[in-house]
Amino acid sequence: MQFLLALIVVGPLAGAAAALLPAPPGLKGKSPDQAVLRHGVTVTGVILLAALVLALGFDHDHPSTMQATTDISWIRALDVRIHLGVDGISLPLLVLTALLTFLCALYSYFKMPAGPSPKAFVALLLVLESGTLATFAVLDLVLFFLAFEMVLIPMYFLIARWGGEGRQAAAWKFILYTLLGSVVMLLGLLLIGLKAGTFDMVALATDNGRGLTTSVQVIAVLAIGLGLAVKTPMWPLHSWLPDAHTAAPTVGSVLLAGVLLKMGTYGFVRIVLPTTPDGMRTFAPYLAAFAVAGIIYGSLACLALAKPGNKGDLKRLIAYSSVGHMGFVLLGIATMTPTGVNGALFANIAHGLITGLLFFLVGAVKDRYGTADLDTLAGATGAALYGRAPRLGALLAFAAVASLGLPGLAGFWGEMLALFGAFDPAAGLSRPAFLTFMAIGAFGTLLTAAYLLVVVRRVCMGGPRPAGETAVADVQGYEFAAWTPLVALTVLAGLWPAVLLGLTDPAVQQLLAGGPR
């Protein structure tokens, strides 16, 4: 188990280095480009297989215990350690990251985005995977920061070199926002480590803030929270996200929404909640207020983009929808209750599955029609997917109703539990304030349903293809292979939420309570 977790974290880095080397003569296939893309599929497939074996070997009777741990001294002067481990909180995120990266590599093998050499593309994809997996596996504050930063450079180049129109400006905006937030976050992490006398996240969670004064906790939460809020992204620190998504290639958008945004919310759960509970209690009402503001703002922005005549971009609309969905995650965390935090973790996974599928589908629509402009797609000769590409239309409608939180699909449980958590927040938090936040969040679900149904009506509905018009390709074999796992897991998590909640709940209970592990 220790070896598996180390392989999962380090394996993609070795694969990235190998991708830059010349392919052996027997493995070149039809061309060197095909060989390196096949290498990306192979490496990400091995990492996914290792993640699944790790999940099967995980002791599901004790999900609150750190498992597959490695603890090696690294920088003795600061007591920084190479400390790895997984519990019921991090395991689902590890598997989600490995799955989405594999699906992106598989999709790119058949539909490589336009841009420079595939060698650099595959190497950057693997470095991005390694940094994301490390973020969810490390248990040392310094290592967490290094892994958190490791993903910025590969994502910057994926947007800047393989993106669409406006990619340079979007890439710069992405990296400047996240770097500035990370500088502030580093100060907060160092403050905790130096004042508590350790950077070990397990020891800090066990201590549950008893070794830190309230003033230190308040300062630390403010600093760390700002850095995490930018990555999440929380309104009003979200403005880099729509530009990044609109300009990014399809697989870049899938990974950005599916796993990179989760790094911010994971930091709140893994570091802020257990390590600085008093400071978190001070800021929880403000975090909840920003969260519900993001829910309403994201929904209203999507409604404006979906309105006829506004030249709304479908990728941009899905990006704004992420601001709203991540608002529910932050609301659940702000309640500081097991119900709310479990809802936040469930919504994290659901958002990764559903929004990853949505970006795949929007990319496919843009490839077929040459545009993601809603007015063009909804025009007289627009997409009309039900009549022209019925399988693609059905998948888009499925992803939309999953995203709006239809009961029986994954999007429902996380948002419902976050609202339940707001109904009865933790002791010391204002219940009238959180009841207000709950009501606003519930209203946001109605707005979410409104804009997604408008999108489905405008893009999917319409007459059949006129005689003589060029046929539009329906779902291809490689698309079916890349999207089916996301559809299946969306249904599975919706019908059987205990698969996730059985892992996260004991770990969350322990994390919020502190005490021995």
Side-chain angles (χ1 to χ4, degrees):
M1 293 284 281
Q2 290 174 311
F3 171 77
L4 273 178
L5 186 57
L7 172 68
I8 289 167
V9 173
V10 179
L13 276 182
L20 298 174
L21 300 174
L27 298 178
K28 284 186 178 179
K30 296 178 182 178
S31 71
D33 288 352
Q34 186 193 52
V36 75
L37 290 170
R38 186 169 60 245
H39 170 78
V41 176
T42 303
V43 173
T44 55
V46 169
I47 299 303
L48 174 59
L49 181 62
L52 293 175
V53 173
L54 180 70
L56 290 173
F58 186 81
D59 184 356
H60 292 260
D61 293 330
H62 301 92
S64 62
T65 303
M66 283 296 172
Q67 302 180 34
T69 54
T70 298
D71 192 1
I72 303 169
S73 179
W74 183 34
I75 305 175
R76 292 185 181 277
L78 295 175
D79 194 28
V80 176
R81 309 183 69 80
I82 298 176
H83 193 180
L84 305 177
V86 289
D87 64 356
I89 293 171
S90 53
L91 182 64
L93 290 165
L94 275 175
V95 175
L96 175 69
T97 301
L99 173 65
L100 284 177
T101 312
F102 169 71
L103 297 180
C104 285
L106 180 65
Y107 187 85
S108 299
Y109 179 78
F110 295 96
K111 191 71 179 177
M112 172 69 194
S117 161
K119 275 193 171 188
F121 176 83
V122 170
L124 290 168
L125 192 70
L126 292 172
V127 172
L128 182 70
E129 179 182 31
S130 180
T132 312
L133 290 167
T135 302
F136 300 136
V138 298
L139 297 172
D140 184 279
L141 292 180
V142 176
L143 282 186
F144 176 84
F145 176 78
L146 294 176
F148 198 84
E149 295 303 286
M150 184 176 165
V151 304
L152 299 185
I153 300 303
M155 181 53 73
Y156 167 82
F157 281 110
L158 286 174
I159 297 171
R161 303 299 298 277
W162 287 271
E165 186 178 349
R167 59 183 183 268
Q168 292 290 346
W172 274 111
K173 197 171 185 179
F174 160 75
I175 201 163
L176 287 175
Y177 263 76
T178 48
L179 273 177
L180 288 173
S182 297
V183 169
V184 182
M185 184 180 76
L186 176 60
L187 296 176
L189 294 175
L190 291 175
L191 176 64
I192 288 177
L194 295 174
K195 290 291 185 181
T198 180
F199 291 99
D200 187 270
M201 290 157 65
V202 175
L204 290 167
T206 302
D207 190 58
N208 206 222
R210 288 185 285 268
L212 300 171
T213 65
T214 301
S215 59
V216 168
Q217 291 189 36
V218 168
I219 296 170
V221 170
L222 183 60
I224 298 170
L226 279 173
L228 297 175
V230 170
K231 185 65 73 75
T232 296
M234 179 187 78
W235 180 90
L237 304 174
H238 69 283
S239 60
W240 61 270
L241 183 72
D243 291 341
H245 271 309
T246 305
T250 296
V251 294
S253 292
V254 171
L255 292 174
L256 184 57
V259 292
L260 262 69
L261 303 189
K262 312 303 175 282
M263 293 164 63
T265 51
Y266 174 78
F268 275 109
V269 174
R270 177 64 74 196
I271 299 172
V272 178
L273 275 176
T275 304
T276 55
D278 295 335
M280 183 63 186
R281 199 169 286 109
T282 301
F283 284 106
Y286 304 102
L287 179 62
F290 283 124
V292 296
I295 293 170
I296 300 301
Y297 172 83
S299 299
L300 292 176
C302 290
L303 279 171
L305 289 169
K307 187 178 178 182
N310 279 4
K311 292 290 181 183
D313 186 278
L314 192 50
K315 282 188 78 176
R316 196 173 189 86
L317 185 146
I318 302 302
Y320 271 111
S321 78
S322 291
V323 177
H325 288 305
M326 298 312 288
F328 281 102
V329 177
L330 290 173
L331 177 61
I333 292 170
T335 67
M336 299 184 69
T337 62
T339 301
V341 176
N342 276 306
L345 293 170
F346 198 103
N348 254 348
I349 301 298
H351 179 264
L353 296 171
I354 297 166
T355 307
L357 177 61
L358 276 170
F359 275 116
F360 268 134
L361 294 168
V362 173
V365 170
K366 189 172 183 179
D367 289 338
R368 286 159 171 78
Y369 291 90
T371 182
D373 179 74
L374 268 170
D375 288 339
T376 303
L377 294 173
T381 58
L385 291 178
Y386 288 157
R388 303 180 187 190
R391 293 183 183 87
L392 186 58
L395 280 171
L396 183 61
F398 169 85
V401 296
S403 185
L404 64 82
L406 184 74
L409 298 175
F412 172 72
W413 295 104
E415 295 181 3
M416 184 193 73
L417 289 171
L419 293 175
F420 278 2
F423 180 77
D424 188 18
L429 299 180
S430 169
R431 190 163 186 239
F434 273 83
L435 286 174
T436 304
F437 299 145
M438 182 194 74
I440 296 171
F443 178 66
T445 62
L446 301 178
L447 296 177
T448 302
Y451 71 73
L452 285 167
L453 292 176
V454 168
V455 167
V456 170
R457 178 178 61 81
R458 298 191 70 202
V459 177
C460 294
M461 296 183 180
R465 177 171 60 90
E469 183 182 300
T470 304
V472 177
D474 209 338
V475 178
Q476 305 293 298
Y478 71 92
E479 294 172 329
F480 182 80
W483 303 342
T484 298
L486 301 180
V487 174
L489 290 172
T490 299
V491 174
L492 176 65
L495 295 178
W496 193 16
V499 172
L500 275 177
L501 295 176
L503 280 172
T504 62
D505 185 53
V508 167
Q509 298 273 3
Q510 179 106 4
L511 204 68
L512 293 176
R517 294 199 160 211

